Amino acid sequence: MYKFTRRQTLFAAAAGISGLSGYWLQSGDSVDDDTFRVGSPWTPDAIDPVANGWLWRRLNVLEPLLTVDYDATVSPGLATDWHMVNDRTWEFTLREGATFHDGTEVTAETVLPSLTRAFESSSMAAVPVESVEAAADRTIIIQTTVPFSPLPAHCTRGITCPVSPSAIANDGSITEPIGTGPFQFEDWEPGSTITTTATPDYHGSTAHIETLIYEGITDDQTRRLKLESGELDMARILPNKAADTLASSPDLTAHTYKIPRARYLVFDLDSAPFADKKVRRAVMYAIDRDHIVDSLLNGLGSKAVGPFPADVTEWAAELEPYEYSPDKARSLLAEAGWEPDGGTRTRDGDTLSVSIWTYNTRPLLPTIAEVIQTQLQAVGFDVDISVMESSTIKEQATNGEFDTVLWSSSVLWYPDPDRLSDLVHSETETMFSGYESEAVDRHLEAARRTADRDERFERYAAVQRRMQRDLPLGWLTYYANVIGTRADVEGYQPHPIESCYHLEEVTQQR
């Protein structure tokens, strides 16, 4: 069935056609509709940018002050210019001619409420913003408590996207995602779908497709089958093995591309056995990453050395890799006091038993965990695997003991190497390894204070080298995304850090 969008209902009313509001067309009824349907694993759970701005940004309903270009650098967005006034003050000049979807003009006063609530939210607690002010009609001033060079990169995040003041209720909640992007909100079914339509008076190039429907489909096989049947025009985050299937079909197109996302192990440094660095190093030598890439990833992606893939970003340091060596793993375990005792090693009456926690929202993580299980057992570990919701893992790992978690995340979801602070700074890390290093903290804090790129590179390189030695995180593989589209879809260009799908550029020859 098909429900008329708000715009179609208003158009019909203006034309003198009544009774269309809330009317559903039955399947097979004719309607002049240019609809593009995209499915991905993530369900839409909130309309507030503070809670779910990344998704509304990906659909280009909302736009931030600054955007991320296709070379993964900070570029103009709603702000066309930005610069440091002094080491704690930044000035942003807003774009002329931009309006919110309700017709409200984009000015310093109208974006100020959104920016204020974003920087006051707990999600931005690590960004040291002291104040946000409207200095002139199109000038925003952001003061930080300390010098903070990554601020422009943080202004690309979906959480900072302004909504119209009319969308903010008296209690501060968001009633509707009224943004400024090339698509505007029409309707949604929480946990299921979002319907948007092309913004007719958009300040940039108008979207080619009239209606965009996003569907959250957690099962990757269901996404692929819906694409093959024509129920979807684009299916995102498909398993790597689907690339060959897509390429062999005349009705489908496979888009594969590398992204700055990694699979890695998070070790609990506060409990045995991984409180011992020798045991962590043994794990890394015991894992055959080439086998994982070739056999499980269909040759897409690559084995990881550190947090940043060198062929995607310039911020990758030259690091010494942990090459596959079961013998070196066994030697390290013996040095740590874990001696062979049949199949599983023991020490002082304890067995070398560990659990790997992971989740299945990202394809292949449980399967990779099974391969790691086999490879660790070959050097003397006893390994079990638990698959649970990622939110459950975060809660349990943060509040209690665990052994290791097989995790996946973007390492540049905002375009600055300060992302390392989220991973390993002792006070701001969002992971749960319990890692603390005064040297790492000093480098990260100094890199935040300076605007000198060369100094920042050396500081972040030092952090990467220390991470490689201390191993709070064990890097396994880098990602290549597999996106499937119908063969008649043209103009789609995958974005390197997935901050926006840019479906306004897409055309479809039906």
CSV table of all heavy atoms in Angstrom, one decimal, residues 265-284:
chain,number,residue,atom,x,y,z
A,265,LEU,N,39.9,-6.3,18.6
A,265,LEU,CA,39.7,-6.8,19.9
A,265,LEU,C,39.9,-5.8,20.9
A,265,LEU,O,40.9,-5.1,20.9
A,265,LEU,CB,40.6,-8.0,20.1
A,265,LEU,CG,40.4,-9.3,19.3
A,265,LEU,CD1,41.5,-10.3,19.5
A,265,LEU,CD2,39.0,-9.9,19.5
A,266,VAL,N,39.0,-5.7,21.9
A,266,VAL,CA,39.2,-4.9,23.1
A,266,VAL,C,39.4,-5.8,24.2
A,266,VAL,O,38.6,-6.7,24.6
A,266,VAL,CB,37.9,-4.0,23.4
A,266,VAL,CG1,38.1,-3.1,24.5
A,266,VAL,CG2,37.4,-3.3,22.1
A,267,PHE,N,40.6,-5.6,24.9
A,267,PHE,CA,41.0,-6.5,26.0
A,267,PHE,C,40.7,-5.8,27.3
A,267,PHE,O,40.8,-4.6,27.4
A,267,PHE,CB,42.5,-6.7,25.9
A,267,PHE,CG,43.0,-7.5,24.7
A,267,PHE,CD1,43.7,-6.8,23.7
A,267,PHE,CD2,42.8,-8.8,24.6
A,267,PHE,CE1,44.1,-7.6,22.6
A,267,PHE,CE2,43.2,-9.6,23.5
A,267,PHE,CZ,43.9,-8.9,22.5
A,268,ASP,N,40.3,-6.6,28.3
A,268,ASP,CA,40.1,-6.1,29.6
A,268,ASP,C,41.4,-6.1,30.3
A,268,ASP,O,41.9,-7.2,30.7
A,268,ASP,CB,39.1,-7.0,30.4
A,268,ASP,CG,38.7,-6.4,31.8
A,268,ASP,OD1,39.4,-5.4,32.2
A,268,ASP,OD2,37.9,-7.0,32.4
A,269,LEU,N,42.0,-5.0,30.5
A,269,LEU,CA,43.3,-4.9,31.1
A,269,LEU,C,43.3,-4.9,32.6
A,269,LEU,O,44.4,-4.9,33.3
A,269,LEU,CB,44.0,-3.6,30.7
A,269,LEU,CG,44.8,-3.6,29.3
A,269,LEU,CD1,43.9,-4.0,28.2
A,269,LEU,CD2,45.4,-2.2,29.1
A,270,ASP,N,42.1,-5.0,33.2
A,270,ASP,CA,42.0,-5.0,34.7
A,270,ASP,C,41.8,-6.4,35.2
A,270,ASP,O,41.6,-6.6,36.4
A,270,ASP,CB,40.9,-4.1,35.1
A,270,ASP,CG,41.2,-2.6,34.8
A,270,ASP,OD1,42.3,-2.3,34.9
A,270,ASP,OD2,40.2,-1.9,34.5
A,271,SER,N,41.7,-7.4,34.4
A,271,SER,CA,41.5,-8.8,34.9
A,271,SER,C,42.3,-9.8,34.1
A,271,SER,O,42.6,-9.6,33.0
A,271,SER,CB,40.0,-9.1,34.8
A,271,SER,OG,39.5,-9.2,33.5
A,272,ALA,N,42.5,-10.9,34.8
A,272,ALA,CA,43.3,-12.0,34.2
A,272,ALA,C,42.4,-12.7,33.1
A,272,ALA,O,41.2,-12.7,33.2
A,272,ALA,CB,43.7,-13.0,35.2
A,273,PRO,N,43.0,-13.2,32.0
A,273,PRO,CA,44.5,-13.3,31.8
A,273,PRO,C,45.1,-12.1,31.0
A,273,PRO,O,46.3,-12.0,30.9
A,273,PRO,CB,44.6,-14.6,31.0
A,273,PRO,CG,43.4,-14.6,30.1
A,273,PRO,CD,42.3,-14.0,31.0
A,274,PHE,N,44.2,-11.2,30.5
A,274,PHE,CA,44.7,-10.2,29.6
A,274,PHE,C,45.2,-8.9,30.3
A,274,PHE,O,45.6,-8.0,29.6
A,274,PHE,CB,43.6,-9.8,28.6
A,274,PHE,CG,43.2,-10.9,27.7
A,274,PHE,CD1,41.9,-11.3,27.5
A,274,PHE,CD2,44.2,-11.5,26.9
A,274,PHE,CE1,41.6,-12.4,26.6
A,274,PHE,CE2,43.9,-12.5,26.0
A,274,PHE,CZ,42.6,-13.0,25.9
A,275,ALA,N,45.3,-8.9,31.6
A,275,ALA,CA,46.0,-7.9,32.3
A,275,ALA,C,47.5,-8.0,32.0
A,275,ALA,O,48.3,-7.1,32.2
A,275,ALA,CB,45.8,-8.0,33.8
A,276,ASP,N,47.9,-9.2,31.6
A,276,ASP,CA,49.3,-9.5,31.2
A,276,ASP,C,49.5,-9.2,29.7
A,276,ASP,O,48.9,-9.8,28.9
A,276,ASP,CB,49.6,-11.0,31.5
A,276,ASP,CG,51.1,-11.3,31.3
A,276,ASP,OD1,51.8,-10.6,30.6
A,276,ASP,OD2,51.5,-12.3,32.0
A,277,LYS,N,50.4,-8.3,29.4
A,277,LYS,CA,50.6,-7.9,28.0
A,277,LYS,C,51.2,-9.0,27.2
A,277,LYS,O,50.9,-9.1,26.0
A,277,LYS,CB,51.6,-6.7,28.0
A,277,LYS,CG,51.8,-6.1,26.6
A,277,LYS,CD,52.5,-4.8,26.5
A,277,LYS,CE,53.9,-4.8,27.0
A,277,LYS,NZ,54.6,-3.5,26.9
A,278,LYS,N,51.9,-9.9,27.8
A,278,LYS,CA,52.4,-11.1,27.0
A,278,LYS,C,51.3,-11.9,26.5
A,278,LYS,O,51.4,-12.4,25.4
A,278,LYS,CB,53.4,-11.9,27.9
A,278,LYS,CG,54.7,-11.2,28.2
A,278,LYS,CD,55.6,-12.1,29.1
A,278,LYS,CE,56.9,-11.4,29.4
A,278,LYS,NZ,57.8,-12.2,30.3
A,279,VAL,N,50.2,-12.1,27.3
A,279,VAL,CA,49.1,-12.8,26.8
A,279,VAL,C,48.4,-12.1,25.7
A,279,VAL,O,47.9,-12.7,24.7
A,279,VAL,CB,48.1,-13.2,28.0
A,279,VAL,CG1,47.0,-14.0,27.5
A,279,VAL,CG2,48.9,-13.9,29.1
A,280,ARG,N,48.3,-10.8,25.8
A,280,ARG,CA,47.6,-10.0,24.7
A,280,ARG,C,48.5,-10.2,23.4
A,280,ARG,O,47.9,-10.3,22.3
A,280,ARG,CB,47.5,-8.6,25.1
A,280,ARG,CG,46.7,-8.3,26.4
A,280,ARG,CD,46.2,-6.9,26.6
A,280,ARG,NE,47.3,-5.9,26.7
A,280,ARG,CZ,47.9,-5.6,27.8
A,280,ARG,NH1,47.5,-6.2,29.0
A,280,ARG,NH2,48.8,-4.6,27.9
A,281,ARG,N,49.8,-10.1,23.6
A,281,ARG,CA,50.6,-10.2,22.4
A,281,ARG,C,50.5,-11.6,21.8
A,281,ARG,O,50.6,-11.8,20.6
A,281,ARG,CB,52.1,-9.9,22.8
A,281,ARG,CG,52.3,-8.4,23.2
A,281,ARG,CD,53.8,-8.2,23.5
A,281,ARG,NE,54.6,-8.2,22.3
A,281,ARG,CZ,55.8,-8.7,22.3
A,281,ARG,NH1,56.3,-9.3,23.4
A,281,ARG,NH2,56.5,-8.8,21.2
A,282,ALA,N,50.4,-12.6,22.6
A,282,ALA,CA,50.3,-13.9,22.2
A,282,ALA,C,49.0,-14.1,21.3
A,282,ALA,O,49.0,-14.8,20.2
A,282,ALA,CB,50.2,-14.9,23.3
A,283,VAL,N,47.9,-13.5,21.7
A,283,VAL,CA,46.7,-13.5,20.9
A,283,VAL,C,46.9,-12.9,19.5
A,283,VAL,O,46.5,-13.5,18.5
A,283,VAL,CB,45.6,-12.7,21.6
A,283,VAL,CG1,44.4,-12.5,20.7
A,283,VAL,CG2,45.1,-13.5,22.9
A,284,MET,N,47.6,-11.8,19.5
A,284,MET,CA,47.8,-11.1,18.2
A,284,MET,C,48.7,-11.9,17.3
A,284,MET,O,48.5,-12.0,16.0
A,284,MET,CB,48.4,-9.7,18.4
A,284,MET,CG,47.6,-8.8,19.3
A,284,MET,SD,45.9,-8.7,18.6
A,284,MET,CE,46.2,-7.9,17.1
